[in-house]
Amino acid sequence: MTQTASYDICAVGNAIVDVLAPCDPGFLTDQGLMPGSMSLVDESQSAALYDAMAAGVEASGGSAGNTVAGVGSFGGRAAYLGKVAKDQLGEVFTHDIRAAGVHFDTPALEGGAGTGRCLINVTPDGQRTMSTFLGAANQLTVADIDVDLIGDSAIVYLEGYLFDPAPARAAFEAAAKAAHAAGRKVAITLSDAFVVGRWRAELLDFIQASADIVLANEVELLALFETGDFDEAAERLSQIVEVAAVTRGEHGSVILRGEERVRVPAFAVDRVVDTTGAGDQYAAGFLLGLSRNLSLADAGALGSLAAAEVIAHWGPRPMTSLHELAEQKGLRLHAA
């Protein structure tokens, strides 16, 4: 990225407050939830599930929101576009993201749905099953897209979950258009295999037309190309985007650029507590590295470090300074 920008990353996403609680697999069965999935629920379903869950911990979340919080923890310059309501959870989200050093001033929704929330049930193996009431989050519209802010950001990062609500998808597309008009890069995360299943053709069209960088996990990648062959899917993705990073859990990640293939190992953790936010934090490190012209290997290492930090504790955002961790591990944060 050679053009001067005030922000390394500007993310556009669903502004969500997470409620995390432990559960056993039987609870998921009783509630009719598919383990490891993300499903959309309405306000009454959300309330009923909340009442049935074990005592939970509230933490500001939303995939892209988690990513820019991670960018801030690395000492990066981040901005965020997302919609909350003028209510208590909206105040929690706004306080938390600003406290992470992220620029956020999207006007709050008044007189409509409440702030979005994601009920996350975590089984003993660390897997999370998410039930999301989008609320105000899917009221993000084209009018909320700050073209000047996007134009002043090296990479604009778009959350695949925004393919679900139509008004937010229009905002998503407007953000990509504004980024390219300003000569910036557009990154997209596929977000969830179920999102890919619902919008496969549309996602492929968007990636080919508007995305420079794609982030996905292995399951999402295979779903995108409807194949069980990782190498085939990776090759096909590399042909339609400039850069792609595919995470593979404990096996690390594979980064693709043209004919280049870089395999980045995962950082070891003593115990996996909660995988919520692992992909989001990988994106934080990787995209920050790209925005600062690091090599693919160095950018991937920052992603792996951030993912390892977040899966070792409850919650989707860093609890330890990623900047300090990177320095301790001898990882590069700036191009030479």
Side-chain angles (χ1 to χ4, degrees):
M1 312 295 165
T2 57
Q3 294 173 287
T4 302
S6 296
Y7 297 98
D8 299 305
I9 312 295
C10 177
V12 183
N14 283 326
I16 302 285
V17 175
D18 293 337
V19 180
L20 300 101
C23 76
D24 57 45
F27 177 81
L28 301 179
T29 302
D30 292 343
Q31 295 296 319
L33 299 173
M34 184 178 296
S37 68
M38 193 292 284
S39 57
L40 296 175
V41 297
D42 61 27
E43 195 158 12
S44 63
Q45 291 171 316
S46 177
L49 179 58
Y50 180 83
D51 288 342
M53 287 169 60
V57 175
E58 289 183 357
S60 292
S63 175
N66 295 336
T67 294
V68 287
V71 172
S73 184
F74 271 116
R77 302 159 300 167
Y80 182 74
L81 294 169
K83 201 77 167 176
V84 297
K86 195 169 185 179
D87 58 15
Q88 184 176 352
L89 286 181
E91 291 174 2
V92 168
F93 184 94
T94 300
H95 171 272
D96 288 353
I97 201 164
R98 289 177 177 168
V102 177
H103 174 83
F104 173 58
D105 64 0
T106 308
L109 180 68
E110 297 188 51
T115 295
R117 68 215 65 163
C118 182
L119 306 182
I120 304 175
N121 284 283
V122 185
T123 43
D125 62 356
Q127 185 181 62
R128 75 269 194 252
T129 300
M130 300 180 288
S131 302
T132 303
F133 167 59
L134 289 172
N138 68 358
Q139 300 304 310
L140 185 76
T141 69
V142 172
D144 294 310
I145 298 303
D146 186 335
V147 173
D148 292 336
L149 181 64
I150 285 174
D152 206 14
S153 304
I155 297 175
V156 176
Y157 179 56
L158 305 172
E159 183 183 312
Y161 286 126
L162 286 175
F163 263 79
D164 277 309
R169 193 193 304 186
F172 183 110
E173 293 169 344
K177 183 177 179 180
H180 281 144
R184 305 303 188 182
K185 297 295 186 182
V186 173
I188 181 175
T189 170
L190 298 187
S191 293
D192 186 283
F194 295 91
V195 171
V196 176
R198 286 192 291 272
W199 304 108
R200 179 179 173 275
E202 291 86 348
L203 277 167
L204 275 171
D205 286 346
F206 181 85
I207 289 168
Q208 291 178 289
S210 301
D212 306 295
I213 303 159
V214 171
L215 293 102
N217 65 31
E218 183 171 1
V219 174
E220 294 158 2
L221 174 68
L222 296 177
L224 184 66
F225 293 105
E226 297 182 305
T227 178
D229 187 324
F230 177 84
D231 291 334
E232 176 197 344
E235 179 63 26
R236 290 174 67 181
L237 182 59
S238 72
Q239 292 174 2
I240 61 173
V241 292
E242 190 177 313
V243 179
V246 184
T247 56
R248 309 187 78 179
E250 63 185 16
H251 301 296
S253 60
V254 178
I255 304 171
L256 320 164
R257 180 167 58 193
E259 297 299 316
E260 188 178 1
R261 302 288 182 270
V262 177
R263 298 185 184 277
V264 180
F267 277 86
V269 295
D270 293 334
R271 184 168 74 94
V272 176
V273 174
D274 172 23
T275 58
T276 307
D280 302 334
Q281 295 310 321
Y282 180 92
F286 179 68
L287 292 175
L288 179 65
L290 287 189
S291 76
R292 293 181 172 182
N293 297 312
L294 298 187
S295 69
L296 297 184
D298 286 341
L302 292 179
S304 289
L305 178 70
E309 190 281 338
V310 83
I311 65 175
H313 59 73
W314 282 87
R317 296 184 178 183
M319 289 187 174
T320 302
S321 165
L322 294 176
H323 186 277
E324 292 180 7
L325 283 179
E327 290 188 330
Q328 291 168 13
K329 297 290 185 181
L331 300 185
R332 191 185 301 275
L333 283 164
H334 297 274

